[in-house]
């Protein structure tokens, strides 16, 4: 039952395995938001995965980088996403010539 719960991923998230063949810890599982797939940093990781494993690799999506490198890239993505959302708020301004009357 515990193994079954570990395998479940919430809607809007994606499980990936990160690691290099020669690392002592082997592969480590991470769950990331699907929105990462649109980020240029993550796209570079996907391109590298394609070069190493191809498109039809069996099992879960593997990212061929060290866990430390992945954690750094994830931090960069989160930082850029936070900065973007802070600086890109939508403000709607009505022209001053418009007026509203109560009905």
């Amino acid at each position: 039952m515990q193994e079954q719960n570990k395998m479940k991923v919430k809607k809007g998230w994606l499980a990936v395995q990160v690691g290099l063949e020669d690392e002592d810890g082997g592969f480590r599982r991470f769950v990331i938001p699907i929105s990462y797939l649109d980020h240029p940093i993550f796209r570079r990781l996907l391109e590298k995965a394609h070069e190493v494993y191809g498109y039809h690799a069996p099992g879960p999506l593997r990212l061929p980088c060290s866990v430390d490198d992945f954690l750094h890239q994830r931090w960069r993505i989160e930082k850029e996403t936070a900065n973007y959302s802070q600086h890109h708020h939508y403000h709607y301004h009505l022209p001053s010539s418009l007026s509203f009357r109560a009905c």
Side-chain angles (χ1 to χ4, degrees):
M1 176 93 171
Q2 183 181 11
E3 189 67 28
Q4 193 175 33
N5 288 338
K6 182 179 178 182
M7 300 307 286
K8 291 182 182 180
V9 178
K10 292 180 185 178
K11 185 176 180 177
W13 294 77
L14 172 70
V16 296
Q17 286 188 336
V18 177
L20 299 171
E21 298 291 335
D22 57 353
E23 276 187 323
D24 289 334
F27 288 96
R28 199 163 137 198
R29 183 177 188 263
F30 291 90
V31 179
I32 57 169
I34 287 178
S35 62
Y36 279 20
L37 296 174
D38 289 331
H39 198 283
I41 291 172
F42 197 79
R43 284 188 184 177
R44 284 192 292 274
L45 289 174
L46 291 175
E47 289 169 5
K48 183 68 175 173
H50 167 67
E51 290 173 14
V52 173
Y53 304 117
Y55 282 125
H56 300 289
L61 175 61
R62 283 188 175 179
L63 300 177
C65 63
S66 71
V67 171
D68 288 340
D69 286 343
F70 175 77
L71 292 173
H72 178 73
Q73 300 304 331
R74 185 178 71 174
W75 172 81
R76 286 182 57 204
I77 292 169
E78 290 173 359
K79 182 179 175 187
E80 288 179 20
T81 303
N83 286 341
Y84 180 82
S85 65
Q86 286 177 353
H87 298 301
H88 290 86
H89 295 286
Y90 295 102
H91 299 284
Y92 298 99
H93 298 283
L94 296 174
S96 58
S97 61
L98 290 179
S99 62
F100 294 95
R101 292 182 286 162
C103 297

